[in-house]
Amino acid sequence: MNAPPLAPRRLWWLGAGFALWCSALVVLYAVHAIGCRFAWASGSLRLTLAALLLAHMIAIGWLWHRFSLAMRGPGQTPIGAFVHAVIVWTLVAALVSAIIALAPALLLTTCT
Amino acid sequence: MSEHVDPASNESPALRLHRQLSAIWATGPGLQRLAAVNHSVIGVRMMVTSFAFFAIAGVLGMLTRVQLATPNSDFMTPEIYNQVFTVHGTMMLFLFAIPMVESFAVYLTPKILGTRDFAFPRLTAYGYWCYLFGGSIVTLSLLFGVAPDGGWFMYTPLSSNVYSPGINADVWLLGITFVEISALSLAVEIVVSILKMRAPGMSLDRMPIFAWYILVTAMMMIVAFPPLILASILLEAERAFGLPFFDPTRGGNPLLWQHLFWLFGHPDVYIIFLPMAAVLSTIIPVFARRELVGYRAIVVAIIALAFLSFGIWVHHMFTVGIPHLALAFFSAGSVIVAVPTAVQVFAWLATLAHGKPRWDVPMLYIFGFFFVFVMGGLTGVMLAVVPFDWQAHDTYFVVAHMHYVVGGALAFPMLAGLYYWLPLLTGRAAVGRLSVVAFWIIFIGFNLTFFLMHLTGLLGMPRRIYTYHGFEGWNGLNLLSSLGGFVMTIGFAVLVIDLFVQVRYGRRAQRNPWGATTLEWAMRLPPPSYAFASIPHLGEGGGPADADELRLSLARGEGYLGSTRNGWQEALGVHATSGEPEQLIVLPQPTYLPLVTGVATAAAVLGFLFKAYWLSLGWAIVVIALLVLAAQRSGHARDLGPLPIGKGLSVPPHTEVEGSPPWIALVCTLVIDGTLFTSLLFGTLYVWTGLRGTPPAMPAPDMVRVAILAIALIVAAAIARRSLRALVGGAMPMGSVAMTILALLVAIFAGMGLIARIVPAPTEHALGATASALVGFVIFHAIAGLVFLISNLLRMRGGYVSQRRTLDLRLTRGWLDYTAVTGLIALGLFIALPGLVGVLELHP
């Protein structure tokens, strides 16, 4: 029996990893700007930023785990396997980008 | 009904089918050409128009180089010089680069996908006319001495009324917004067509890489353009009506312009680059005579590039005073964006390395691309490093970097693509060695002009300066740079002569002259108006293994839709992922409506430009009426059920299925609108955090009106849902539609009452201005909802809506759901603003 065709709405997942990357960047930028505007203590601002980044990284990591498992599932059509592979690799790339671009900066002085 | 090709006729089946299809698809002669909606015709027109703007912008660039060739030059006055360099940049980017890549997409995408046209041909034509008229307004302004003169990025407050009185800045804001309408309409068109109109069997994993690039680019445009459109609307509202969004003396924030501009501006570099990378990824395997290396890796890379390019807009603003920690985010992000770019460059190099490359003119330009683009990319990485950027910011180093990136990403691949697809466009092959001569002159001229600008920049020469004294050490470099500019221009002149000779005297090109495997070569040269006599089904091998055999088979009508029916322009709609056929799409015939709507839109823009606001409003109403009129001619006035499409298959028309092109177009439109809305929320919060000193009193808004507005929106959305349910149940819900209109009218009047009572007044302070913008957004969407509903009533009366043809009411439901959700969010922020201002008083 033929497997059902991959639903078009699954295509949104192609952008999920980097959408989370963008979300992490914008949220960190906004919270940092607001924290500096309202003169939050350096330690608590840094902690808040780190927590926000961690939350995003956990979200990307969880999606990676989920799609990696789905890839190993039975009954994959060629198009399904292709889309899953692309989703998994965009998630990997997004996670690595998030760590490199956003994590080291949190060690810098917060508001100068 | 279906008229099949008669094999017993004396005429060959292929010729007979060709005549029948030509009669249906061809654009008429003479003035009827103005009614053209065919993608091939519009694509070629866009290409010619964009090259015309390129030539004008090139001449303007030459004038700036004449002015800067020697110190203390009085070749131009400072006022004229400002207009010349501003229009040079504006025209190169907005009127040449973006439309030119779009023209490639418009002309090639349907052919490469194996379909006959785009999903909305009238929208393609409307987009073209908007582009032509908007570009003409900007060009003519130069002749009348009222061209924009604040730089192509129009930074505020320089471009505000105080420092730029007159209409110069308005020309930019209105003309470019007009052109952006064109870009967005084409972007929606491209996304829908790629997702729904591929050749059957072309699943996403077997889609030519060209289509992946164009799909991602069109999606980027959908998200990138709205912030700039919003910025232009806000600045024009400030200039025309005094709403101080960017005026720091009244609480506005000039840096908001830079944020919104670069949220568009940085991704735009990749919006230009990706289609040209599509050209390279298509051409290189053909010349290397092997498959592209790393198809999947490239798909991952372009998705990554699309997102990363949005996340690094602040690297254009490293010197505006952002804290180091935030600068580090954007600096690292800007460096990382080089990785997915490099993945593609290495994939191309690997393809060449593993293949047996043959040399021809397109390969020369590909060599030029590698050299120039890698140079531009490396200086980009240098500028991504904050300390270096602080040194080089606003110097000629940045000008050099930008020209290397744009020249490498755009000009050289574009010329490679032009020579590659010229046999397809003209049906003629190259005649001489002039192409090679033209390449070398352009290549040498380009590097002489722009490489030296790195050095003048490092020696401290600021960009945008009118002249210099002569003792700075820039004289020789500037003179050589200007000479390089002339050499490059001579190269382009030789190229134009070469193209002319090829088109006029070239011998007939043999079919598929490069031995390519993409579908655009599986047709006659030059392509007929209907592109494919019948639609191919892609086999397991992906592209056509034997293009000649496939072409003959398709010409004989052996694919899908290999016959004519009712004089309809037919195309196939497929499942978005698997590419299986699922609907018959009947496309509109040539019509003057796009031209007339374009003229009316131009009249509305000109009315605004000359501050005749009531006249402008009148023309805007005409535009809306024309759009409603266009909608009345779409679809079928009765249920048709499944119709045969060949190969023993029958599918229903697109009006009778879910997931039809108009529905996906609505989703794209809502994404565009949602991005604009998000930008507005960002702008409101940015103005709020930027407030300094004691903010003005901002009393709580009139909560009764807020409640009426919110309830009216919710009621309208609920009745629209009920109308759809009633239609599906077999009723014709005219009464429900009328009630929805009533609810929206209540919402509009409540919203207008709210704006009239905003304190501080919208013209007095940015807080009032942003509050009125939030409510104005809601009112605008309620008015658009009214237009949807009026169209629904007319189409119900005309018999275009039925229990099976529910598309109209589904579109209206989608719009009103969106209006209610965004309306409630906007009203929430509107109510919260006084409280937020109160927080500021606690933390001055």
Side-chain angles (χ1 to χ4, degrees):
Chain A
M1 200 176 88
N2 287 339
L6 187 79
R9 64 176 177 279
R10 304 278 285 182
L11 296 180
W12 290 110
W13 290 108
L14 290 171
F18 276 99
L20 281 166
W21 183 89
C22 284
S23 164
L25 182 86
V26 170
V27 167
L28 260 63
Y29 183 46
V31 171
H32 176 240
I34 290 169
C36 290
R37 172 72 177 85
F38 291 107
W40 292 359
S42 175
S44 58
L45 178 56
R46 197 188 308 278
L47 204 62
T48 309
L49 295 176
L52 287 168
L53 176 60
L54 190 65
H56 279 92
M57 281 163 51
I58 289 170
I60 300 173
W62 178 76
L63 284 176
W64 175 8
H65 176 69
R66 192 191 136 181
F67 278 98
S68 298
L69 288 181
M71 266 185 80
R72 289 196 284 270
Q76 279 277 33
T77 56
I79 172 68
F82 169 78
V83 171
H84 270 99
V86 175
I87 290 172
V88 167
W89 281 105
T90 50
L91 287 165
V92 172
L95 188 63
V96 174
S97 303
I99 293 168
I100 294 175
L102 304 174
L106 298 182
L107 300 173
L108 295 174
T109 315
T110 46
C111 291
T112 55
Chain B
M1 285 311 293
S2 188
E3 190 183 327
H4 289 280
V5 177
D6 177 13
S9 163
N10 288 334
E11 213 169 38
S12 79
L15 188 58
R16 187 171 167 214
L17 183 59
H18 165 68
R19 288 198 174 140
Q20 289 170 342
L21 287 168
S22 292
I24 293 171
W25 287 80
T27 305
L31 281 179
Q32 290 178 49
R33 289 193 180 94
L34 297 174
V37 293
N38 186 276
H39 80 99
S40 293
V41 178
I42 304 294
V44 171
R45 277 183 193 171
M46 280 192 78
M47 232 175 266
V48 172
T49 310
S50 62
F51 276 111
F53 284 125
F54 175 63
I56 297 169
V59 169
L60 297 177
M62 294 295 295
L63 294 179
T64 62
R65 284 316 317 169
V66 172
Q67 171 68 24
L68 295 174
T70 52
N72 301 310
S73 169
D74 55 4
F75 175 66
M76 281 186 272
T77 63
E79 292 75 23
I80 296 290
Y81 180 79
N82 287 346
Q83 293 188 23
V84 165
F85 86 75
T86 298
V87 177
H88 163 72
T90 301
M91 201 172 265
M92 278 293 188
L93 196 74
F94 291 100
L95 303 182
F96 163 63
I98 298 168
M100 197 281 298
V101 297
E102 283 171 350
S103 69
F104 265 66
V106 168
Y107 184 81
L108 286 171
T109 309
K111 295 178 174 64
I112 287 180
L113 293 177
T115 185
R116 285 173 169 161
D117 206 331
F118 272 134
F120 309 106
R122 290 179 301 188
L123 191 63
T124 322
Y126 176 63
Y128 170 72
W129 294 118
C130 284
Y131 161 51
L132 179 67
F133 295 147
S136 301
I137 289 172
V138 176
T139 310
L140 288 174
S141 72
L142 199 63
L143 297 180
F144 293 110
V146 289
D149 53 2
W152 74 275
F153 27 62
M154 294 288 289
Y155 280 173
T156 53
L158 176 62
S159 55
S160 300
N161 259 339
V162 180
Y163 301 104
S164 290
I167 65 166
N168 305 54
D170 301 303
V171 168
W172 192 99
L173 295 167
L174 294 167
I176 295 307
T177 303
F178 196 7
V179 172
E180 283 160 5
I181 296 171
S182 149
L184 281 175
S185 62
L186 289 173
V188 171
E189 178 98 89
I190 289 168
V191 170
V192 174
S193 302
I194 292 179
L195 288 179
K196 293 304 288 185
M197 293 182 72
R198 306 190 300 273
M202 189 186 277
S203 54
L204 283 181
D205 54 324
R206 287 153 65 184
M207 193 162 76
I209 194 75
F210 183 92
W212 270 108
Y213 274 105
I214 300 296
L215 178 64
V216 172
T217 307
M219 287 180 162
M220 286 180 71
M221 287 165 78
I222 280 173
V223 181
F225 279 71
L228 180 60
I229 292 177
L230 176 76
S232 299
I233 292 170
L234 297 184
L235 183 53
E236 189 53 35
E238 178 173 305
R239 293 179 58 86
F241 307 120
L243 305 182
F245 296 103
F246 306 103
D247 178 359
T249 63
R250 288 180 286 164
N253 196 328
L255 281 183
L256 174 61
W257 172 271
Q258 290 198 30
H259 276 293
L260 293 175
F261 183 88
W262 289 116
L263 271 168
F264 146 82
H266 193 73
D268 190 52
V269 174
Y270 296 91
I271 286 171
I272 292 166
F273 169 58
L274 285 179
M276 291 300 112
V279 168
L280 294 167
S281 290
T282 306
I283 294 178
I284 287 174
V286 174
F287 284 93
R289 288 182 278 203
R290 66 149 292 152
E291 275 186 21
L292 181 66
V293 171
Y295 178 94
R296 283 186 188 191
I298 289 181
V299 173
V300 173
I302 56 183
I303 292 171
L305 203 55
F307 281 92
L308 289 172
S309 70
F310 279 93
I312 54 178
W313 80 96
V314 171
H315 78 206
H316 294 268
M317 302 166 63
F318 277 162
T319 58
V320 301
I322 291 168
H324 292 176
L325 190 152
L327 289 184
F329 294 155
F330 292 101
S331 178
S334 306
V335 174
I336 280 178
V337 82
V339 176
T341 312
V343 166
Q344 294 169 78
V345 171
F346 285 118
W348 297 325
L349 290 173
T351 307
L352 288 169
H354 288 282
K356 293 176 184 164
R358 60 179 162 156
W359 282 96
D360 210 315
V361 177
M363 280 296 278
L364 271 179
Y365 283 100
I366 289 169
F367 155 74
F369 154 80
F370 276 119
F371 184 87
V372 173
F373 183 72
V374 171
M375 280 272 294
L378 291 177
T379 52
V381 174
M382 290 165 73
L383 285 167
V385 179
V386 177
F388 182 84
D389 184 81
W390 281 351
Q391 297 301 315
H393 189 81
D394 266 349
T395 69
Y396 258 78
F397 188 89
V398 178
V399 179
H401 156 70
M402 193 192 76
H403 280 90
Y404 262 84
V405 169
V406 176
L410 179 71
F412 286 95
M414 170 192 80
L415 294 174
L418 188 66
Y419 275 106
Y420 176 75
W421 278 297
L422 212 54
L424 184 75
L425 273 161
T426 64
R428 301 197 177 261
V431 279
R433 292 175 184 276
L434 213 51
S435 328
V436 180
V437 175
F439 165 77
W440 284 110
I441 300 176
I442 291 171
F443 183 75
I444 292 167
F446 182 93
N447 285 290
L448 191 58
T449 310
F450 299 114
F451 182 79
L452 300 182
M453 289 185 187
H454 292 108
L455 306 181
T456 47
L458 290 173
L459 287 170
M461 179 169 162
R463 62 197 298 196
R464 297 189 287 276
I465 55 165
Y466 155 69
T467 191
Y468 49 96
H469 296 291
F471 51 73
E472 301 89 341
W474 309 333
N475 298 8
L477 292 171
N478 267 313
L479 183 60
L480 277 175
S481 208
S482 296
L483 282 174
F486 280 94
V487 171
M488 183 167 53
T489 308
I490 291 168
F492 276 107
V494 175
L495 184 133
V496 170
I497 294 168
D498 182 45
L499 293 180
F500 175 77
V501 169
Q502 183 166 337
V503 171
R504 185 76 180 80
Y505 302 107
R507 60 189 155 72
R508 280 222 158 279
Q510 58 175 359
R511 290 186 172 111
N512 196 6
W514 311 109
T517 56
T518 37
L519 283 171
E520 78 275 24
W521 298 105
M523 59 177 75
R524 284 178 30 210
L525 300 183
S529 51
Y530 51 83
F532 295 93
S534 58
I535 309 290
H537 188 111
L538 256 67
E540 280 303 314
D546 184 343
D548 236 22
E549 178 50 37
L550 179 75
R551 186 188 58 75
L552 290 172
S553 153
L554 295 179
R556 288 193 296 263
E558 290 166 5
Y560 294 100
L561 302 178
S563 59
T564 58
R565 174 169 31 209
N566 302 335
W568 288 350
Q569 292 191 178
E570 294 181 336
L572 272 186
V574 298
H575 188 269
T577 57
S578 68
E580 292 308 309
E582 62 175 22
Q583 54 190 285
L584 178 76
I585 298 171
V586 180
L587 298 170
Q589 304 278 354
T591 164
Y592 293 100
L593 258 179
L595 172 62
V596 175
T597 314
V599 169
T601 315
V605 169
L606 286 172
F608 214 92
L609 189 60
F610 293 110
K611 309 200 185 306
Y613 300 125
W614 287 108
L615 192 66
S616 182
L617 181 65
W619 280 110
I621 291 170
V622 172
V623 171
I624 292 167
L626 287 168
L627 294 176
V628 172
L629 177 67
Q632 302 313 302
R633 298 182 180 185
S634 299
H636 307 289
R638 64 187 175 86
D639 292 337
L640 295 170
L643 297 165
I645 56 168
K647 293 183 176 284
L649 284 180
S650 291
V651 293
H654 75 274
T655 47
E656 296 177 23
V657 294
E658 293 192 5
S660 60
W663 175 254
I664 302 174
L666 178 77
V667 173
C668 291
T669 308
L670 294 184
V671 173
I672 292 169
D673 200 283
T675 311
L676 189 135
F677 179 61
T678 310
S679 304
L680 179 60
L681 297 181
F682 165 76
T684 306
L685 294 171
Y686 194 77
V687 166
W688 165 66
T689 53
L691 289 172
R692 290 292 182 270
T694 307
M698 196 177 194
D702 178 350
M703 289 306 291
V704 176
R705 280 191 167 76
V706 171
I708 292 172
L709 176 48
I711 291 167
L713 291 177
I714 294 167
V715 167
I719 306 176
R721 285 175 165 266
R722 202 180 69 179
S723 305
L724 181 58
R725 276 199 303 272
L727 182 67
V728 172
M732 192 55 69
M734 305 279 266
S736 296
V737 172
M739 278 172 61
T740 318
I741 290 177
L742 193 64
L744 286 182
L745 284 172
V746 170
I748 291 165
F749 283 112
M752 288 163 79
L754 268 182
I755 289 182
R757 286 169 177 75
I758 286 174
V759 177
T763 52
E764 282 176 9
H765 196 273
L767 284 173
T770 51
S772 63
L774 288 170
V775 181
F777 180 89
V778 183
I779 294 174
F780 176 82
H781 284 73
I783 292 172
L786 278 183
V787 176
F788 269 84
L789 291 161
I790 291 166
S791 175
N792 288 168
L793 283 178
L794 292 172
R795 283 176 61 81
M796 284 161 118
R797 214 178 59 179
Y800 287 93
V801 177
S802 75
Q803 193 174 3
R804 268 161 64 175
R805 284 167 290 132
T806 59
L807 179 65
D808 291 76
L809 293 199
R810 283 194 293 122
L811 294 178
T812 305
R813 186 201 64 184
W815 181 264
L816 291 182
D817 282 351
Y818 171 84
T819 301
V821 170
T822 52
L824 293 178
I825 295 170
L827 288 175
L829 184 55
F830 176 72
I831 296 168
L833 262 182
L836 290 173
V837 173
V839 172
L840 285 180
E841 284 168 356
L842 296 175
H843 299 275

